[in-house]
Amino acid sequence: MDRRRMLRATGFAGAAAFLAACDSGGGKSEADTKGAPAILGKKRNLKIVTTWPKNFPGLGTGVERFAKRVNDMSSGQITIKVYAAGELVGALGAFDAVSQGKADMYHGAEYYWQGKSPAFNFFAAVPMGMIASEMNSWIRFGGGQELWDELSGKFNVKPFMCGNSGVQMGGWFKNEINSIDDFQGLRIRMPGLGGEVMKRIGATPVTKSGGEIFQALSQGNIDATEWIGPWNDLAFGFQTIVKNYYYPGIHEPGSTLSLGINLDVWNDMSQMEKAIIQAAADAENDTMLAEFNINNARSLDTLISEHGVKLHRFSDDILRKLGEVSAEVVAEAGSADDLSKRVFDSFNTARSNGMKWGAIAEQAFAAARDLATAKNT
């Protein structure tokens, strides 16, 4: 039987039994003879390290949800203990811990590893890059996953998409930003290629993990920060320090969060175990985006109505300049070596196709909806 048709026809539970039989050659296991169907061959207790504070909304809770989903789908045969940033390794040490086998998995954002290869940026977010739906399409059906496997495989890691925070905000600023000149000398927390864009327009980018941002902003060590969006920003309390909140966040238009698995651990898994991990990661990828979208809308209203936050849109002149510099920065990252060039070319093709289709699909509909809404209000 074709496995894809089987999955559609029977659902995951039926597929689990089928795949388990395939892995065992179709025979009965010891568990089968006792009247209970065997799903997996052995019990695994895995450790996952993250780049997020413990139980942080969306990111921290999302990885906990992923771990629970794996446990449930495997009937407890695969358990995953979640370690927040700093509990086992520091936030920015998660990749090395998994690569070296000190942990089994990580959950983070690939641009944190750009020091190993600039190509990692393309699998998280790049300035003026792709939104969440476009990233999903590229990685799943546009050749992105194969390139990602090749890149991460060099470091003994198997990668997956496992969450998305959607379009991010432009950030929090102590003073208003009315022209590109207002970025001169500004100390701003912004990682990845977005930080390089800030540097080229005269700001000083600073890389800090999430748990360090509030203190840096409150003590005046930085003048501005981006984090994620209203939901997480409200939880961090940035509104108690500064009031100027800008959009859109051109640096991270569709921030993909990643699951990385030690390649030795991955290769030791059965097809059934791999199917569970893949399905759980896919589910979290979609669930997290939905959760962010509804909570960002609610939290933005709270920030404005209850905390006196001033919402600003970057001017067209600022956005044009940011777009111009972004193109230079992203192209340079994509020319670092042969693999980076192949990733860049593939990413660019997907981005171009997404923009063309989006112009006559989501964007056109959104404009029509705005017209209809304005007419009826």
Side-chain angles (χ1 to χ4, degrees):
M1 178 185 290
D2 178 79
R3 292 191 178 199
R4 291 183 180 178
R5 287 190 287 112
M6 176 276 297
L7 285 167
R8 289 195 296 268
T10 65
F12 191 84
F18 176 82
L19 290 175
C22 288
D23 287 340
S24 63
K28 289 188 176 183
S29 69
E30 181 180 351
D32 289 323
T33 63
K34 294 180 180 179
I39 296 180
L40 300 171
K42 62 181 178 181
K43 185 172 178 63
R44 291 185 187 272
N45 298 303
L46 306 176
K47 295 181 291 187
I48 185 168
V49 291
T50 82
T51 59
W52 325 119
K54 191 172 184 63
N55 294 322
F56 190 66
L59 305 178
T61 56
V63 67
E64 293 278 3
R65 188 165 49 209
F66 161 78
K68 183 179 185 303
R69 189 177 289 118
V70 170
N71 180 78
D72 292 346
M73 293 168 72
S74 67
S75 296
Q77 287 293 100
I78 305 176
T79 62
I80 302 175
K81 181 173 176 55
V82 178
Y83 291 89
E87 289 187 332
L88 193 61
V89 297
L92 302 183
F95 185 92
D96 285 341
V98 173
S99 176
Q100 297 166 10
K102 296 177 182 177
D104 303 297
M105 302 174 167
Y106 70 75
H107 190 258
E110 299 293 88
Y111 53 54
Y112 287 141
W113 335 131
Q114 66 172 331
K116 300 180 183 301
S117 169
F120 276 113
N121 286 284
F122 293 95
F123 299 101
V126 299
M128 294 294 186
M130 292 194 279
I131 60 175
S133 60
E134 293 167 342
M135 286 290 289
N136 288 344
S137 295
W138 173 53
I139 292 178
R140 286 173 173 161
F141 299 104
Q145 184 67 58
E146 291 78 7
L147 289 165
W148 197 4
D149 286 343
E150 182 179 351
L151 174 63
S152 292
K154 293 177 179 291
F155 302 92
N156 200 38
V157 171
K158 165 64 179 175
F160 295 92
M161 293 188 293
C162 191
N164 200 299
S165 58
V167 180
Q168 296 197 1
M169 292 291 284
W172 297 84
F173 296 79
K174 290 186 176 179
N175 299 311
E176 291 188 12
I177 303 296
N178 297 311
S179 73
I180 202 72
D181 292 335
D182 290 332
F183 285 95
Q184 291 292 323
L186 195 74
R187 293 166 299 173
I188 181 170
R189 183 270 179 189
M190 186 174 288
L193 297 184
E196 181 61 24
V197 171
M198 291 293 104
K199 181 178 179 180
R200 296 193 186 189
I201 62 173
T204 300
V206 178
T207 297
K208 289 186 177 295
S209 64
E212 301 173 312
I213 302 174
F214 183 89
Q215 184 176 11
L217 190 63
S218 63
Q219 293 181 347
N221 296 326
I222 54 176
D223 308 303
T225 185
E226 64 77 39
W227 176 224
I228 298 176
W231 185 28
N232 286 164
D233 293 358
L234 176 64
F236 265 14
F238 298 142
Q239 71 280 358
T240 65
I241 307 172
V242 294
K243 298 296 183 183
N244 295 302
Y245 199 25
Y246 278 81
Y247 75 98
I250 62 91
H251 59 296
E252 295 192 41
S255 308
T256 297
L257 289 314
S258 52
L259 170 72
I261 304 177
N262 177 275
L263 196 55
D264 297 325
V265 173
W266 174 254
N267 288 336
D268 185 58
M269 289 184 175
S270 67
Q271 288 300 109
M272 184 61 216
E273 291 173 305
K274 290 178 178 179
I276 288 173
I277 298 295
Q278 176 76 71
D282 284 348
E284 187 54 38
N285 195 58
D286 296 335
T287 300
M288 187 183 290
L289 179 62
E291 186 178 35
F292 265 101
N293 281 338
I294 195 165
N295 283 301
N296 276 335
R298 293 167 176 168
S299 298
L300 181 60
D301 182 67
T302 298
L303 287 169
I304 295 171
S305 63
E306 298 182 19
H307 297 281
V309 168
K310 299 175 182 177
L311 184 65
H312 307 275
R313 178 184 179 274
F314 287 126
S315 70
D316 287 350
D317 287 342
I318 290 176
L319 292 172
R320 289 191 188 96
K321 183 62 176 179
L322 292 176
E324 175 186 321
V325 176
S326 294
E328 297 172 357
V329 169
V330 173
E332 288 180 18
S335 62
D337 50 57
D338 175 68
L339 180 53
S340 295
K341 180 65 164 58
R342 287 188 284 121
V343 171
F344 173 72
D345 288 344
S346 178
F347 182 95
N348 252 8
T349 297
R351 177 178 177 270
S352 177
N353 289 337
M355 290 173 65
K356 290 175 183 176
W357 171 239
I360 61 173
E362 285 91 348
Q363 290 181 18
F365 170 73
R369 185 171 60 182
D370 287 344
L371 288 173
T373 302
K375 183 177 179 180
N376 295 326
T377 57

